Amino acid sequence: MKRHLSSIAAMLLVLILLVPYIPASTATAAEAFPFEEITLKQLEDGYTNGKYTTVEVVQAYLDRIKIYEPNYNAFTVMNPKALDEAREIDRRRASGEKLGPLAGVPIVIKEAVDMAGFPSTMGWAPLSKEKGGIELIPERDAPVVTRLKEAGAIILGRTNIPAFSSSGTRATTSWDGDTYNAVDRRLVPGGSSSGTATSVSGNFAVLGIAEETGGSIQNPAAAQNIVGIKPSFGLVPNSGVVPLGGSTRDVIGTHARTVQDAAAMLDVIAGYTHDDAKTVASIGNIPVNGYTSKLNTQELAGKRIGLYGKGWRDQELTPETQLLYDRAVKELIAQGATVVTDPFAGTTFAQTVKTGANGIDSVIYDMQNYLKNLGPSAAIHNVQELITKTGQTPSIFDRYNGNLPNPDSHPDLSAFIDTRTKLLKIINDVMDKYDLDALVFPQMYKETPLLSSEDNIGATTVSEINLAGVPLVTVPAGYYKSGSPFELAFTGKMWSEADLLGMAYDYEQATKYRKAPILTAK
């Protein structure tokens, strides 16, 4: 009997040795990662009760990134001091020091946003040291980065963008190549905050900083099944950010997996700073109790919601998009909302968007100011040096056909101001006429295209939202049969972020469509 058992044991040993070895960190990465889909509240509670240390959390995220980053390319550079900064947060917490609202929270920052000591490549090969270009190092952080650091956030790295953030669909033009969609690598990731969306959706970080001129917060959020906040123009400082329409359209916003987390991050980055004169408009327009103050599951009750129609944009929804939108409208009604069909019918809104000034005429002037503010030690200080030293003219200057204006001259923005004024008046008049609390549209009129195709994302709110300067919140609202995400866009009057977030939260909690994507390693 003993001999028989010994034979069996020997056979089992041979079989075990024949099975290919799969490293545990790769084979069970999803199971081994304890912080998948963790919320700010859950993370904060874990820190408070001693369940987690910041070092433990940050290390877990770095380990996850190491496994999956080669297959998703979300980052352009990592922060080598992330663990040191985590240890400092743990030390301060252990000593009883008062910590900021994001203490120990792993976040990512879009490449276009300056971080002192880290290269600002603009996504452009001539400014990438890795590609033999000039290394452009800002001397100081952008104001939003300063605020996040003061809040105790741990920045894991900077995230990939297309060159000059000039695509709302993909990051193909980046010197670092494509970023891949965390929901499905075959889909475009959305742009230009491609890497931030992938990082947040793929659980490489808890929160992310995104930035938008024409869809660059909302498009990747919708494509990757996460929450995005595109704030009112002037609410969050955009100084220290590579500009497209810095004087007119550019905004910094948040990516998160939940409405509550996105709102909490907005609380940290919103408000006036002397570094950005535009933010004076935010004074008196920030809710006293913050952007989480209206997050409750009764917020849609009694609200009046305007629906998508040809008055907003003469663009039909695809049949499947229409079915998903119809379901979402029923869900809004089930939460107590009253809906109004196509409230913009009979207005000149859609035509004004088509024929109005786009507000990008300030790009030379804005780029000049951006380069000047990089600091004396930076390799480039003005637009002329940018062209001369790189030997190339940035594609964002192509609209001038080689006749570049004086970059120090204030651009004539009168046509754009006229366009924004008209659009805001129509929005305000329509919402007042129908007593609307918000507009809720499908963020895209079709499903997210394949990365292998030449199709662009079909947003319903770009350029409308950016020309008007009003806020928008995206929230997951289901999936197409293909598995591509479907999202709603909540929008409304200037400075209505808290109201929009409250309604989006109510919808999110009632439906809970967000699902953690299953990542694949190389």
Side-chain angles (χ1 to χ4, degrees), residues 67-293:
I67 294 168
Y68 293 116
E69 169 65 3
N71 216 27
Y72 290 89
N73 197 36
F75 294 89
T76 55
V77 64
M78 303 302 294
N79 176 13
K81 297 181 179 179
L83 282 172
D84 291 337
E85 292 165 8
R87 290 187 189 94
E88 177 61 12
I89 291 292
D90 284 339
R91 184 198 66 77
R92 292 179 59 198
R93 182 176 281 113
S95 67
E97 289 186 39
K98 181 177 174 59
L99 299 175
L102 297 181
V105 177
I107 70 168
V108 295
I109 303 289
K110 182 177 180 178
E111 166 75 25
V113 182
D114 284 353
M115 286 177 59
F118 287 82
S120 176
T121 69
M122 309 185 194
W124 194 39
L127 293 179
S128 166
K129 185 178 181 180
E130 288 86 345
K131 297 297 181 181
I134 297 170
E135 191 168 56
L136 195 58
I137 306 290
E139 289 186 359
R140 60 177 185 154
D141 293 328
V144 291
V145 174
T146 299
R147 289 173 176 179
L148 289 163
K149 287 181 176 179
E150 289 173 350
I154 306 296
I155 300 170
L156 300 182
R158 291 163 62 72
T159 55
N160 198 24
I161 59 173
F164 303 105
S165 300
S166 56
S167 171
T169 301
R170 47 176 65 81
T172 307
T173 59
S174 167
W175 64 266
D176 200 27
D178 277 308
T179 286
Y180 295 87
N181 192 317
V183 175
D184 186 336
R185 286 184 80 257
R186 296 172 300 176
L187 301 175
V188 298
S192 61
S193 304
S194 308
T196 294
T198 295
S199 296
V200 173
S201 185
N203 283 277
F204 293 166
V206 177
L207 298 169
I209 285 293
E211 175 263 344
E212 173 159 329
T213 306
S216 294
I217 295 171
Q218 52 179 303
N219 285 354
Q224 302 215 41
N225 199 33
I226 58 175
V227 176
I229 303 175
K230 182 269 174 200
S232 301
F233 183 77
L235 177 61
V236 179
N238 66 18
S239 55
V241 179
V242 178
L244 275 180
S247 297
T248 54
R249 293 172 51 157
D250 294 354
V251 293
I252 295 291
T254 67
H255 277 171
R257 291 183 293 272
T258 70
V259 173
Q260 184 156 10
D261 288 359
M265 193 180 203
L266 183 61
D267 275 332
V268 170
I269 63 174
Y272 172 76
T273 171
H274 68 274
D275 286 325
D276 188 345
K278 298 184 297 298
T279 56
V280 72
S282 70
I283 298 173
N285 287 309
I286 295 176
V288 174
N289 295 316
Y291 289 103
T292 61
S293 59

Side-chain angles (χ1 to χ4, degrees), residues 38-52:
I38 196 168
T39 65
L40 275 179
K41 179 67 165 58
Q42 291 167 339
L43 185 60
E44 289 165 0
D45 287 348
Y47 285 148
T48 300
N49 61 31
K51 184 178 181 181
Y52 314 130

Side-chain angles (χ1 to χ4, degrees), residues 300-303 305 307 325-341 507:
L300 280 167
K303 295 296 193 297
I305 304 294
L307 302 181
Y325 185 43
D326 289 345
R327 183 185 69 184
V329 170
K330 291 178 182 177
E331 291 163 340
L332 293 169
I333 293 171
Q335 289 304 105
T338 298
V339 298
V340 177
T341 303
Y507 178 82

